[in-house]
Amino acid sequence: MWTSRSEFARCVEAAEASGWDSLWLSEHLTGPTPAAIPALTFAAAITTRIRLGTSVTVIPGRSPVELAKSLWTAAELCDGRLLPVFGLGTAESAEHRAFNVSRLDRGPWFDDAFPVIRDLLGGERVTASSRFFDVREVCITGGGPAPVTDLWMGGRSDTELRRVACLADGWLASFANPRQTRRSIEVITDHAAGIGREFDRGHFGLLFPYARERRPAAMTELLEHAYPDEHPDELCPVGVDALRRVLESHTAAGVTKYILVPAERPAQWGSALESLRRDLIEATASSTILRLGR
């Protein structure tokens, strides 16, 4: 998170100036974090190149028309640099209450709403009925498609992975070890093939935190609480060598795109993002696997 408009602006401008491909914001209603779509729209106004992603945009509990309209607006204002990733949201009961949706309704709501959102962003006039919403003869874009190329999804359960295979253009994992990403990619590609759908093998991503010198105690505590069966080094590497090992193992598993998250908020965003970029370049330069993948 950040403490002011100026701090966020410095972070965004530093990310673009230091050559990062994209900037990502997560969505968490009950925490002290900004709403992703408005914040990314602000980021679009002060940048020209960097792409802007959501990780993830929560669908259950929302009107598909309202959400599609917000995404269309953001995509137009950033000249097509928006990279939306959709999901069910976290498993926390406080988040479900905030979105006014029960745990059991999250999956059905998503399944009903996602095709509506895709069609609306595609410029179609949509009529769709569900026990969660009623859409009648709605077109949000004036007839032309929104400048959004791909719609990705998150998720790790088999049900979520099959949903990715059926509906999404890409998959973004988070807090996963290489065994999990390999198996998840296999489930997605196998299920997609089984329904006659070809899933782009270049559209598998992973988000993970990285610490340059030490893992903050708060991050270690979070990992040990949320993922007690996983070694923290696999989920949040510390230092260039560990970063290289994590990237190599997930690349071998089929991951092709990465989102790195600083393990703690830096004092200076500009120098921190430059240092992180140098670590990433050093990690990939010393690896045959990653060099071949660039």
Side-chain angles (χ1 to χ4, degrees):
M1 62 170 290
W2 57 85
T3 58
S4 67
R5 174 193 180 280
S6 59
E7 182 184 359
F8 182 51
R10 288 195 298 271
C11 171
V12 172
E13 290 168 344
E16 179 162 80
S18 55
W20 288 95
D21 172 78
S22 53
L23 172 74
W24 295 77
L25 294 180
S26 298
E27 186 166 62
H28 198 82
L29 289 190
T30 57
T33 55
I37 297 174
L40 290 174
T41 304
F42 170 82
I46 60 174
T47 58
T48 59
R49 179 196 56 80
I50 196 167
R51 296 189 291 174
L52 307 165
T54 65
S55 59
V56 298
T57 295
V58 179
I59 289 180
R62 283 179 159 144
S63 157
V65 177
E66 184 276 331
L67 183 53
K69 189 76 168 184
S70 295
L71 291 167
W72 170 70
T73 303
E76 290 286 351
L77 291 176
C78 71
D79 295 323
R81 291 181 283 143
L82 187 67
L83 302 170
V85 180
F86 300 91
L88 300 181
T90 69
E92 300 170 24
S93 58
E95 285 289 292
H96 303 166
R97 290 192 297 270
F99 279 103
N100 195 30
V101 61
S102 73
R103 182 180 179 86
L104 293 179
D105 280 341
R106 292 192 307 158
W109 195 314
F110 191 104
D111 290 337
D112 289 350
F114 184 83
V116 174
I117 294 170
R118 182 184 283 280
D119 288 346
L120 288 169
L121 290 175
E124 298 184 26
R125 183 169 298 278
V126 177
T127 296
S129 180
S130 165
R131 66 186 176 98
F132 305 111
F133 53 81
D134 185 22
V135 179
R136 301 185 183 184
E137 289 294 311
V138 173
C139 180
I140 65 168
T141 69
V148 178
T149 304
D150 297 313
L151 304 182
W152 287 38
M153 290 182 188
R156 63 168 55 198
S157 72
D158 281 4
T159 298
E160 291 172 307
L161 297 174
R162 288 193 293 270
R163 183 181 291 120
V164 172
C166 292
L167 300 174
D169 303 308
W171 175 66
L172 179 66
S174 60
F175 293 103
N177 64 44
R179 298 175 299 282
Q180 291 168 333
T181 53
R182 182 182 297 276
R183 180 186 178 278
S184 297
I185 290 171
E186 290 174 351
V187 170
I188 292 170
T189 53
D190 288 350
H191 189 73
I195 60 174
R197 187 167 187 251
E198 184 175 354
F199 203 93
D200 190 333
R201 287 189 173 270
H203 284 188
F204 293 112
L206 174 69
L207 179 152
F208 65 92
Y210 169 66
R212 298 195 68 235
E213 297 177 352
R214 63 175 182 83
R215 187 182 302 111
M219 176 59 70
T220 299
E221 182 180 351
L222 182 153
L223 295 176
E224 291 176 346
H225 173 74
Y227 308 97
D229 298 328
E230 304 294 338
H231 196 288
D233 287 346
E234 284 198 296
L235 303 181
C236 178
V238 179
V240 173
D241 290 340
L243 175 61
R244 183 184 64 253
R245 289 193 295 270
V246 166
L247 291 172
E248 286 181 335
S249 57
H250 283 283
T251 298
V255 175
T256 57
K257 305 189 186 301
Y258 294 94
I259 302 170
L260 272 65
V261 181
E264 61 183 342
R265 191 177 77 193
Q268 296 290 334
W269 278 106
S271 59
L273 291 175
E274 286 283 4
S275 297
L276 180 57
R277 186 171 182 272
R278 286 196 298 269
D279 284 3
L280 185 60
I281 292 173
E282 182 180 346
T284 56
S286 58
S287 169
T288 302
I289 294 175
L290 299 173
R291 188 159 55 246
L292 290 174
R294 288 204 300 273

